[in-house]
Amino acid sequence: MDETPLPDPADWQRISRPDRRLSIALAALYEYYPTLAGPPGAAHESYVDGVVSQLSAPFQPDAARAEVVSGAIRHAASFQTWESLVRTSGLVTLDAVRLMVAMVKTAAGDR
């Protein structure tokens, strides 16, 4: 088990703007990921399930967009996405977070 605890969702739950809440959550995850020795395990997947639920609801997607928004947030929150954007592509964390927030906003229909 990794010694660094997963980010605490309480740190972003009080933020009312959905895009800002997502930004804070992703920044916390993207700061957590470099502390891992390798890809996270099953406990992390369960954690991400909860995060996706918390973060997608404030975007208030209609029924047709809800699955797209949840999928976009799940993708943004994944270790593999962080690894691809930051480790492989060399983006700084802030740019990776901004890119993923823009993707989710587009998924939610916010242009």
Side-chain angles (χ1 to χ4, degrees), residues 4 6 9 17 23-24 28 32 35 38 41 43 47 64 70 72 77-78 83-85 91-94 98 102 107:
T4 305
L6 285 159
R17 276 187 39 203
S23 180
I24 298 297
Y32 166 75
T35 70
Y47 170 86
S70 292
S78 81
E83 189 171 46
S84 174
L85 293 173
L91 294 181
V92 296
T93 298
L94 180 60
R98 285 179 176 161

Side-chain angles (χ1 to χ4, degrees), residues 1 11 16 18-21 24-25 31 34 37 43-44 46 52 76 78 83-84 89-90 92 96 105 109 111:
M1 179 149 198
D11 293 343
S16 60
D19 58 335
R20 185 74 180 128
R21 178 185 292 194
I24 298 297
E31 289 175 12
H44 179 266
S46 177
V52 169
S78 81
E83 189 171 46
S84 174
S89 298
V92 296
K105 287 173 68 175
R111 309 225 191 272

Side-chain angles (χ1 to χ4, degrees), residues 5-12 25 28-30 32 47 51:
L6 285 159
D8 184 355
D11 293 343
W12 60 76
L29 279 169
Y30 289 8
Y32 166 75
Y47 170 86
V51 167

Side-chain angles (χ1 to χ4, degrees), residues 8-28 54-60 101:
D8 184 355
D11 293 343
W12 60 76
Q13 287 176 334
R14 295 178 299 275
I15 300 168
S16 60
R17 276 187 39 203
D19 58 335
R20 185 74 180 128
R21 178 185 292 194
L22 176 63
S23 180
I24 298 297
L26 290 178
Q54 291 174 357
L55 295 174
S56 61
F59 280 94
Q60 300 177 343
V101 170

